[in-house]
C-alpha cells in the first residue's frame, strides 16, 4: 500500500474498532488524532503507520485464536503510541496514554488492565499477563524477525535511521546486545503457531544481522 492507501485502510479499521467497542466516533476523535500525530512523526522509520498496518493485517490471520479480541486489537493501536528511541519508558508511557483514552470510552477496569499489561509486555517481550492472548500479541509484534530477508534487511535499516543520532560504534554495540539477547532465548515465539512458521527464519535473520554488525 502507498501511504494514502494505508491511512484510508487504517481509518476503516479504527471505525470498526469503535463500532465493536460501542464507542461513538466523536468521543474517540481525540484518540485518533493522537494516533495520527504520533505514528506520523517524520523520525519514525519503522514504528509508523506501516508497522500498524502490518500488525493489524497479521492479526486478522490469527484472530480466531484470540479470546480477548477487543483488548488485543486496542493494544495493537496504542502499543507504540509514544516512541522516543533514547527513552526506556516508551511502553509504559504508551500504556498510560491508552488508559486515559479507554477511560473516556467507559471500558471496564478489567479491559483497561488487560490492554495496559499487553502494551507494557512489549518492553522486554516477556508477558506480564500469563495468557495465550498475551503470548500471541508478543509474537505478532516480533513477526518482523521472521519475515523474508529483503524485508528484514529493510527493517534493520529503518531501525538504524530511528537511531541516527547515535554514533555508529555505539549503535553497533547496543544493537548487538539486542540481537544476542534474542538469539540467547530458548525460543523467540511463545505460540506454536508462530514458532513453527517463523522461528527458523527469524534466527537466520538475526544471525545474519549479527554478522553484518560484527563485520563493520
Amino acid at each position: 500500500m502507498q501511504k494514502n492507501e494505508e491511512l484510508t485502510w487504517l481509518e476503516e479499521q479504527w471505525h470498526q474498532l469503535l463500532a465493536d467497542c460501542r464507542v461513538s466516533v466523536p468521543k474517540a476523535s481525540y484518540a485518533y488524532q493522537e494516533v495520527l500525530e504520533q505514528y506520523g512523526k517524520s523520525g519514525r522509520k519503522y514504528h509508523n503507520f506501516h508497522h500498524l498496518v502490518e500488525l493489524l493485517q497479521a492479526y486478522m490471520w490469527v484472530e480466531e485464536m484470540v479470546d480477548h479480541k477487543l483488548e488485543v486489537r486496542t493494544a495493537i493501536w496504542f502499543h507504540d503510541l509514544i516512541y522516543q528511541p533514547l527513552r526506556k519508558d516508551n511502553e509504559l508511557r504508551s500504556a498510560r496514554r491508552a488508559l486515559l483514552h479507554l477511560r473516556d470510552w467507559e471500558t471496564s477496569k478489567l479491559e483497561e488492565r488487560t490492554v495496559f499489561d499487553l502494551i507494557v509486555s512489549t518492553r522486554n517481550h516477556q508477558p506480564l499477563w500469563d495468557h495465550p492472548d498475551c503470548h500471541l500479541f508478543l509474537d505478532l509484534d516480533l513477526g518482523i524477525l521472521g519475515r523474508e530477508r529483503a524485508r528484514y534487511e529493510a527493517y534493520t535499516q529503518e531501525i538504524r535511521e530511528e537511531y541516527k543520532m547515535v554514533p555508529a560504534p555505539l549503535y553497533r554495540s547496543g544493537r548487538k546486545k539486542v540481537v544476542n539477547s534474542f538469539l540467547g532465548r530458548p525460543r523467540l515465539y511463545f505460540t506454536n503457531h508462530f514458532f513453527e512458521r517463523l522461528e527458523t527464519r527469524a534466527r537466520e535473520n538475526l544471525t545474519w544481522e549479527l554478522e553484518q554488525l560484527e563485520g563493520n
Side-chain angles (χ1 to χ4, degrees):
M1 294 185 189
Q2 298 296 320
K3 185 175 181 180
N4 288 341
E5 294 175 319
E6 287 184 339
L7 289 173
T8 299
W9 186 84
L10 285 172
E11 185 173 4
E12 293 171 354
Q13 298 306 308
W14 178 260
H15 286 173
Q16 185 60 58
L17 175 67
L18 297 184
D20 293 342
C21 291
R22 299 181 181 178
V23 179
S24 69
V25 173
K27 194 168 187 178
S29 60
Y30 178 70
Y32 192 58
Q33 287 304 312
E34 186 170 16
V35 166
L36 292 178
E37 177 185 342
Q38 294 295 336
Y39 283 94
K41 287 185 174 179
S42 60
R44 291 191 181 216
K45 303 303 180 182
Y46 174 70
H47 297 87
N48 52 23
F49 294 126
H50 187 64
H51 178 52
L52 272 183
V53 169
E54 287 187 322
L55 280 190
L56 289 168
Q57 289 180 335
Y59 167 81
M60 291 177 179
W61 287 99
V62 299
E63 186 173 26
E64 63 186 33
M65 301 167 57
V66 179
D67 292 327
H68 300 78
K69 293 178 173 55
L70 290 180
E71 292 90 330
V72 172
R73 286 164 58 199
T74 303
I76 289 174
W77 278 97
F78 289 108
H79 80 288
D80 282 324
L81 186 67
I82 306 300
Y83 180 73
Q84 297 178 17
L86 299 183
R87 294 189 65 117
K88 299 187 182 299
D89 61 348
N90 290 310
E91 296 82 5
L92 180 60
R93 294 169 72 211
S94 295
R96 287 173 174 168
R97 291 300 303 166
L99 286 189
L100 288 176
H101 292 302
L102 291 178
R103 286 166 185 164
D104 287 341
W105 299 4
E106 299 179 3
T107 50
S108 71
K109 293 297 183 182
L110 181 58
E111 289 170 331
E112 292 171 7
R113 185 69 204 186
T114 299
V115 172
F116 184 90
D117 285 349
L118 286 169
I119 294 174
V120 177
S121 291
T122 63
R123 179 176 182 179
N124 296 310
H125 283 90
Q126 294 291 345
L128 292 181
W129 179 37
D130 188 19
H131 187 281
D133 285 355
C134 191
H135 299 164
L136 190 67
F137 175 70
L138 292 175
D139 286 356
L140 284 168
D141 197 37
L142 286 187
I144 186 66
L145 301 183
R147 294 287 297 276
E148 66 279 2
R149 180 60 54 80
R151 177 66 187 104
Y152 184 81
E153 184 174 356
Y155 153 76
T156 64
Q157 295 169 352
E158 290 161 0
I159 294 296
R160 179 64 182 109
E161 275 293 302
E162 290 186 339
Y163 283 85
K164 64 183 180 180
M165 74 293 292
V166 178
L170 289 178
Y171 178 79
R172 287 196 299 271
S173 176
R175 185 64 185 174
K176 281 193 286 187
K177 290 179 181 178
V178 172
V179 172
N180 277 316
S181 71
F182 280 128
L183 287 173
R185 296 188 179 194
R187 53 189 285 172
L188 294 166
Y189 297 102
F190 293 97
T191 64
N192 289 332
H193 176 88
F194 279 91
F195 180 80
E196 293 167 0
R197 290 163 174 77
L198 300 182
E199 182 82 13
T200 298
R201 186 158 55 190
R203 289 190 177 276
E204 290 173 350
N205 283 334
L206 288 164
T207 300
W208 169 83
E209 183 182 0
L210 187 61
E211 291 171 351
Q212 304 304 306
L213 291 166
E214 291 177 339
N216 291 327

